[in-house]
C-alpha cells in the first residue's frame, strides 16, 4: 500500500519530518498569511503570489479536504498550488468553519464569502477577478463543485 511518504515531492516544497507532511512556504517570497475574510477565527485565507511582474494574476483558489471537520489551509492540500505559482497563478488557500461545530451550509457560505473578499480586494493583492479557478480535494472538491454551480457571476 502506498502512502504520502512514498510520493516524490519537489525538493524544498514539503517537510516530511512531521507525522503528516506539510508544505514549506519559505520559498514563496510574496505572501499574505492569515488574512481574515470573516469574523470567525477559521475564516482566514493565505495568498501566495508568483514571482512574475504581472499587474494582475489569474487566481487558483485551493479548498482543503478533511471531511468538513479537519485539515487546514496550510497542510498538504496546498502542495499542488506551488505548481500554479510556478505557472504565474496567484494561489489562495482557504480555511472554512468546520463541522460538527458548524453545520451545513456554513462551509459553502464561507467559501462564497472568501470569493467575495478576493473580488473586492483584487487590486490590493494583484489578482485578476475575472480569472478565478476553484480547486479542492475530497470535501474541498465537494465545496468547489457546490459553490461553482451556485455562485452568481454578477
Amino acid at each position: 500500500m502506498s502512502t504520502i511518504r512514498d510520493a516524490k515531492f519537489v525538493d524544498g516544497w514539503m517537510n516530511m519530518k512531521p507525522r503528516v507532511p506539510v508544505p514549506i512556504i519559505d520559498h514563496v517570497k510574496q505572501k499574505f498569511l492569515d488574512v481574515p475574510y470573516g469574523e470567525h477565527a477559521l475564516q482566514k485565507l493565505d495568498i501566495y503570489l508568483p514571482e512574475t511582474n504581472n499587474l494582475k494574476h489569474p487566481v487558483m483558489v485551493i479548498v482543503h479536504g478533511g471531511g468538513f471537520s479537519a485539515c487546514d489551509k496550510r497542510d498538504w492540500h496546498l502542495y499542488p498550488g506551488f505548481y500554479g505559482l510556478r505557472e504565474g497563478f496567484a494561489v489562495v488557500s482557504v480555511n472554512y468553519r468546520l463541522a460538527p461545530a458548524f453545520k451545513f451550509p456554513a462551509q459553502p457560505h464561507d467559501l462564497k464569502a472568501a470569493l467575495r473578499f478576493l473580488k473586492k480586494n483584487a487590486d490590493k493583492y494583484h489578482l485578476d477577478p475575472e480569472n478565478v479557478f476553484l480547486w479542492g480535494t475530497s470535501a474541498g472538491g465537494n465545496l468547489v463543485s457546490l459553490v461553482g454551480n451556485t455562485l452568481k457571476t454578477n
Side-chain angles (χ1 to χ4, degrees):
M1 179 163 91
S2 293
T3 70
I4 193 168
R5 296 200 180 279
D6 299 321
K8 296 201 184 321
F9 295 104
V10 174
D11 287 338
W13 285 10
M14 286 293 281
N15 179 354
M16 300 301 285
K17 291 178 184 174
R19 185 180 65 78
V20 177
V22 295
I24 298 169
I25 61 173
D26 297 343
H27 69 279
V28 182
K29 294 182 180 26
Q30 293 186 61
K31 56 188 168 268
F32 303 89
L33 304 177
D34 295 320
V35 178
Y37 66 85
E39 294 181 9
H40 191 273
L42 285 173
Q43 291 174 313
K44 292 183 181 173
L45 50 82
D46 293 340
I47 301 170
Y48 303 90
L49 297 178
E51 293 185 33
T52 60
N53 291 326
N54 292 354
L55 293 178
K56 292 189 181 242
H57 303 286
V59 183
M60 176 186 199
V61 177
I62 296 176
V63 184
H64 67 79
F68 303 104
S69 62
C71 295
D72 183 78
K73 63 183 167 46
R74 218 170 293 154
D75 66 15
W76 63 269
H77 296 93
L78 175 60
Y79 177 82
F82 295 152
Y83 289 98
L85 275 174
R86 192 165 68 179
E87 297 301 318
F89 283 79
V91 174
V92 177
S93 190
V94 178
N95 263 356
Y96 51 86
R97 293 172 293 167
L98 301 172
F102 294 90
K103 307 279 187 234
F104 181 86
Q107 298 77 21
H109 285 175
D110 285 358
L111 181 52
K112 287 180 180 183
L115 293 170
R116 285 190 301 273
F117 173 87
L118 292 172
K119 185 173 184 176
K120 180 179 178 186
N121 292 281
D123 288 340
K124 178 179 181 179
Y125 295 108
H126 309 286
L127 308 176
D128 181 351
E130 300 302 317
N131 286 298
V132 177
F133 305 89
L134 304 177
W135 183 86
T137 57
S138 193
N142 183 295
L143 288 174
V144 162
S145 295
L146 179 62
V147 169
N149 282 308
T150 60
L151 194 62
K152 294 180 183 177
T153 57
N154 302 0

